[in-house]
Amino acid sequence: EESEKLKIYDLLTSKEKKMFLNTSFENLIMVNPNMMNIEDESIIEVSPFRIPTEDGLMKRIIDIAVALIGIVITSPIMAVTAILVKKSSEGPVFYKQIRITKDGREFEILKFRSMGVTAEKDSGPVLATSNDMRVTKVGKYLRSLRIDELPQLFNVLLGDMSLVGPRPERPFFVDQFKELNPHYYLRHNVRAGITGYAQVYGKYASDFNSKLNFDLIYIKKYSLILDLKIMLQTVKILFDKVSSRGVDESERAILSEQEIEARGIKVIY
């Protein structure tokens, strides 16, 4: 209850204790408020889940400049990768897939193909997992080093993506996530990114609600400095195998009934 919250806040404030709140939508919406004065009253204006226009323009200019430089620098790597992909398995060098970006617009994301051409022929759309049997031998290295993501620099040039932003999802999963969380659409107020706040500061294998919270925090806290920090952190974790995982099935431990009860958990049938 609101009255109980106020009592707790008062107590912690009087004892000079730190307060930690969870990332519920109620709390997220209060991040980065604008302070206003109306006559003699101080008012808190809630900031929107959008990047200011002037910051968005500067972000776009930086995206274009860095993408052009990145394509020139990594062109030898992309050329070698294209040859390896072509020789390692049948099918095209590049993999195109429909994803969702700003304002819910669909676009074709470009990657080096790391799976067999019939990876989802029978299963339909599924999320990638650790030790995914659909991934080719060359694909495992491409994914672990994030080399398969390099062609997305062309998506940045085209304006479909940004260097930093929420990772783009497929329409099939977006429709499901929207049904599960009514605030999911807010992440589409900005361009999708090659890397993002959720990939750097949250574990890549976390559930979609956790990643959504990180994405909304990014939009609320946005600054060019934050983008720079995320890009530098991305370089730092490039060789961290955990960062390149999908839904990690290896971490879903299977315990016996005895082991569960030994942990003090009562099993009810």
Side-chain angles (χ1 to χ4, degrees):
E1 295 292 334
E2 196 65 27
S3 59
E4 288 298 312
K5 284 183 183 179
L6 289 174
K7 289 178 183 178
I8 295 171
Y9 295 162
D10 286 340
L11 175 62
L12 294 175
T13 301
S14 65
K15 300 295 183 181
E16 296 186 354
K17 299 295 182 181
K18 290 184 177 180
M19 284 184 277
F20 298 88
L21 305 177
N22 62 19
T23 52
S24 65
F25 189 73
E26 175 188 2
N27 295 327
L28 277 178
I29 204 168
M30 292 305 298
V31 174
N32 278 358
N34 297 318
M35 303 306 298
M36 301 173 61
N37 292 319
I38 298 180
E39 296 183 353
D40 59 346
E41 186 72 22
S42 294
I43 303 294
I44 297 175
E45 179 190 17
V46 175
S47 60
F49 285 94
R50 287 190 179 276
I51 295 175
T53 304
E54 59 274 15
D55 288 341
L57 178 60
M58 184 58 65
K59 179 179 174 68
R60 180 65 188 141
I61 293 172
I62 293 174
D63 280 344
I64 294 172
V66 175
L68 284 171
I69 295 171
I71 290 171
V72 172
I73 293 175
T74 62
S75 56
I77 298 174
M78 287 197 277
V80 172
T81 302
I83 295 172
L84 292 175
V85 171
K86 192 64 178 177
K87 288 189 174 183
S88 64
S89 62
E90 294 182 358
V93 171
F94 296 107
Y95 174 68
K96 295 179 180 180
Q97 192 178 72
I98 299 297
R99 297 291 178 97
I100 303 296
T101 187
K102 186 178 180 181
D103 298 327
R105 182 172 62 84
E106 294 186 355
F107 75 101
E108 279 192 330
I109 195 171
L110 192 64
K111 291 185 178 185
F112 282 117
R113 184 172 56 81
S114 60
M115 292 185 179
V117 291
T118 59
E120 294 183 342
K121 182 179 179 181
D122 298 322
S123 64
V126 293
L127 292 172
T129 63
S130 298
N131 301 316
D132 200 319
M133 297 301 293
R134 300 172 299 166
V135 179
T136 63
K137 290 182 179 180
V138 171
K140 289 181 180 179
Y141 292 102
L142 298 183
R143 287 187 165 208
S144 64
L145 298 175
R146 297 284 184 88
I147 294 175
D148 62 322
E149 310 277 359
L150 287 178
Q152 290 170 41
L153 291 171
F154 292 101
N155 286 123
V156 174
L157 277 182
L158 292 172
D160 296 326
M161 297 179 68
S162 177
L163 294 171
V164 181
R167 284 295 294 161
E169 291 287 359
R170 299 161 69 175
F172 178 84
F173 296 114
V174 169
D175 291 339
Q176 293 183 30
F177 295 156
K178 282 182 177 179
E179 290 183 5
L180 295 171
N181 192 316
H183 307 124
Y184 192 80
Y185 74 95
L186 290 171
R187 77 195 298 270
H188 296 141
N189 284 345
V190 298
R191 284 188 180 88
I194 294 179
T195 185
Y197 198 93
Q199 283 65 48
V200 170
Y201 295 105
K203 188 178 177 183
Y204 188 83
S206 60
D207 67 273
F208 89 95
N209 273 312
S210 298
K211 289 192 285 188
L212 174 61
N213 284 342
F214 279 112
D215 291 335
L216 297 185
I217 290 170
Y218 167 74
I219 297 172
K220 276 278 193 173
K221 293 178 61 179
Y222 176 77
S223 70
L224 294 176
I225 297 297
L226 178 59
D227 268 8
L228 178 60
K229 287 181 179 179
I230 292 173
M231 285 189 281
L232 291 175
Q233 284 292 326
T234 299
V235 173
K236 181 180 177 181
I237 65 174
L238 273 178
F239 297 98
D240 181 358
K241 291 183 180 179
V242 174
S243 69
S244 62
R245 291 179 179 175
V247 179
D248 196 341
E249 294 183 334
S250 66
E251 293 185 359
R252 298 173 185 171
I254 299 175
L255 304 177
S256 67
E257 184 177 339
Q258 291 74 21
E259 289 173 318
I260 292 174
E261 291 180 347
R263 297 189 180 194
I265 302 172
K266 184 178 180 181
V267 181
I268 300 176
Y269 296 99

